[in-house]
Amino acid sequence: MTGLVLGYQQSLTPAIHWQLEKGDKWVITGPNGCGKSLLLRTLVGQVQPLAGRYRWQSDIQWVYLAQEHPRPGLWPMSAGDWLQAMGVTEKQLELVQPLLSKRLDQLSGGQWQLLRLASVLASGADVLLLDEPSNHLDVRVREQSLALLKQLQPEQSLLMASHDQEFIQASGAKEMPMQQLWAGEVTDAL
Amino acid sequence: MLSELLGSFLFWPFIGGLLMAALLGLGGAAFFIKGSAWQGLALAQTAATGALVASVLAWPLVPTALGFSGLLMGLLQNKKDQERLALAAFLAALAMTTLLASNFSQASLAAARWMEGQVYFLAFRDIYWILALSGLTLLLLPWLYRVWLLSQLGADRGCRKPAGRLLEFLDLGWRLLLVVLGSLTLGLPAALAGLLLPAWTAALFARNLKAFFLLSLVFSLTAFLLAWVLALWGDQPFAPVLVLIALLQGVGCYLLKHLRVRVSRG
């Protein structure tokens, strides 16, 4: 990221200069509205930066878990279809095997979030961008999600927005307040 | 027997209508899964307006109808409030259609054709369009399915490459052609019923996405066959009969499903 300014119509952050290295695992923290989700959305191309630029290495494969994915009331799609769309094979995901034949509109909120998270974590991508992955997880599937997160490979990079301390610890990521990113202090730390 | 069937003046309209019903079932599922049923409604009505303009100005029918709907589809892309914009376009096109039909006799005749759906009088040039669209669909289906599947990811992104602009454009063009030809051959209300109702009914039962597309196609075909027989037998215009049959089929399936659920719970 070089001089990256985030915002919609008005700038929300000063220029950000930063580089995510292979195997880096960071959790961006900060109060609501400070631009954590906006940073992730900008990096995946869903929001245009107001200034500056960012660049992915051409051979890098990244995946992204958005903060919310509301389900239509009537959604004739199975969990197996979801994995196919995400480019993940069923063999990679033993944890969610019991869900595969179920329709997505028949899963509980927690099962839905677990499926989304599991399909991102099992993708084997080089970089994982996760926006509040513990949202909607109920007690039953929370432990499973934490176990998945612990299986991240050392060479995989992670950039996650989260307030959830258990998730932060499970991922083995270092915390980075958003304000530090603005100030460029993290660049020095790297 | 075969030569008798082939010699019947209803043979080609039947084949054309049947193919179009299958295509509408498939396309309706695509509109449903992409959450753009309103778009289909507006596109079909705008195509009718285009056809009436073509009849008044003696322009070629299908290209003009396609041009009008294509313009609207272009306008609807990348708009945040697509649903309300599509509804406004539908109302505007409806008003234009009524005004044209009231003021020009040629438009009045064309409007009657588009509203009633004179499938029994399909001309050979219409059948050619349908055959061409059917062939195109068979050819493009793997790519179209990829666009429909990946559209379900919403903001999430997985390992698969996004469909890309070219495939998105292909999907838009295919759906546009389907709506215009469907309205032209079966009539506006029947085409809309074919787009909306079988997919809605299929969504109640399908266990996965492929089954959903297949079921939608099957429900569309059964509605067409029943409407064909009943409209001929009762000497009624085809389109309204098809609409009612598709509705009854949907309501019947809904009730059946809820009855089954109650029985299994009981």
Side-chain angles (χ1 to χ4, degrees), chain A residues 46 61-66 69 74-78 81-82 84-87 101-103 116 120 123 125, chain B residues 32-33 145 149-150 152-160 200 202-210 212 257:
Chain A
Q46 289 175 1
Q61 190 173 46
W62 53 264
V63 290
Y64 170 60
L65 181 83
H69 190 140
L74 207 52
W75 200 7
M77 183 153 162
S78 69
D81 290 327
W82 179 262
Q84 196 194 352
M86 291 292 285
S101 59
K102 285 193 175 180
R103 273 174 57 140
R116 289 177 64 218
V120 166
S123 65
Chain B
F32 183 97
I33 203 81
Y145 183 75
L149 177 70
L150 292 182
Q152 299 308 294
L153 289 180
D156 291 337
R157 287 288 174 272
C159 285
R160 290 182 74 171
W200 195 7
L204 296 170
F205 297 98
R207 298 178 69 89
N208 56 50
L209 202 57
K210 280 186 179 151
F212 169 59
K257 184 181 177 185

Side-chain angles (χ1 to χ4, degrees), chain B residues 9 11-17 61 113 118-131 184-185:
Chain B
F9 76 96
F11 178 75
W12 285 110
F14 175 74
I15 295 296
L61 189 70
R113 177 181 179 173
Q118 298 180 359
V119 68
Y120 309 119
F121 303 105
L122 277 183
F124 265 113
R125 64 173 182 278
D126 304 322
I127 308 279
Y128 288 144
W129 276 105
I130 297 171
L131 287 174
L184 177 71
T185 51

Side-chain angles (χ1 to χ4, degrees), chain B:
Chain B
M1 174 88 177
L2 187 66
S3 62
E4 257 181 54
L5 194 66
L6 283 168
S8 163
F9 76 96
L10 284 178
F11 178 75
W12 285 110
F14 175 74
I15 295 296
L18 196 70
L19 282 175
M20 188 43 78
L23 291 170
L24 283 170
L26 191 70
F31 273 102
F32 183 97
I33 203 81
K34 294 193 91 174
S36 50
W38 286 108
Q39 207 181 52
L41 194 71
L43 287 175
Q45 187 61 54
T46 313
T49 309
L52 265 58
V53 169
S55 69
V56 171
L57 300 174
W59 286 355
L61 189 70
V62 176
T64 311
L66 267 174
F68 270 66
S69 301
L71 196 66
L72 176 66
M73 196 158 222
L75 283 174
L76 289 177
Q77 298 311 305
N78 300 321
K79 299 287 180 203
K80 281 183 181 169
D81 204 4
Q82 279 197 357
E83 198 173 291
R84 264 174 281 270
L85 197 63
L87 188 58
F90 169 76
L91 286 172
L94 187 64
M96 282 289 291
T97 310
T98 312
L99 283 173
L100 283 167
S102 307
N103 289 286
F104 298 95
S105 56
Q106 312 95 302
S108 175
L109 281 172
R113 177 181 179 173
W114 281 68
M115 291 314 292
E116 288 172 15
Q118 298 180 359
V119 68
Y120 309 119
F121 303 105
L122 277 183
F124 265 113
R125 64 173 182 278
D126 304 322
I127 308 279
Y128 288 144
W129 276 105
I130 297 171
L131 287 174
L133 182 61
S134 306
L136 191 70
T137 305
L138 282 177
L139 198 70
L140 297 180
L141 200 54
W143 289 280
L144 290 172
Y145 183 75
R146 180 182 157 84
V147 176
W148 300 333
L149 177 70
L150 292 182
S151 72
Q152 299 308 294
L153 289 180
D156 291 337
R157 287 288 174 272
C159 285
R160 290 182 74 171
K161 278 188 179 175
R165 282 200 180 273
L166 182 67
L167 285 185
E168 294 279 357
F169 187 72
L170 202 69
D171 168 51
L172 286 179
W174 180 82
R175 283 190 287 144
L176 187 66
L177 200 58
L178 174 71
V179 169
V180 172
L181 290 182
S183 308
L184 177 71
T185 51
L186 299 186
L188 184 63
L192 287 177
L195 278 177
L196 302 177
L197 301 173
W200 195 7
T201 311
L204 296 170
F205 297 98
R207 298 178 69 89
N208 56 50
L209 202 57
K210 280 186 179 151
F212 169 59
F213 280 98
L214 191 66
L215 264 182
S216 177
L217 191 147
V218 169
F219 280 130
S220 187
L221 284 177
T222 52
F224 174 83
L225 289 171
L226 280 171
W228 178 274
V229 172
L230 287 175
L232 271 181
W233 175 71
D235 194 21
Q236 296 298 313
F238 175 76
V241 175
L242 178 68
V243 174
L244 290 177
I245 295 287
L247 264 174
L248 281 174
Q249 183 177 246
V251 172
C253 287
Y254 178 82
L255 291 176
L256 194 71
K257 184 181 177 185
H258 282 261
L259 200 68
R260 254 179 45 195
V261 171
R262 282 196 176 186
V263 168
S264 63
R265 276 182 190 159

Side-chain angles (χ1 to χ4, degrees), chain A residues 22-43:
Chain A
K22 187 176 182 180
D24 277 353
K25 292 183 177 61
W26 290 101
V27 179
I28 313 164
T29 56
N32 289 339
C34 72
K36 304 186 297 290
S37 296
L38 183 59
L39 172 67
L40 295 179
R41 293 187 65 201
T42 304
L43 292 178

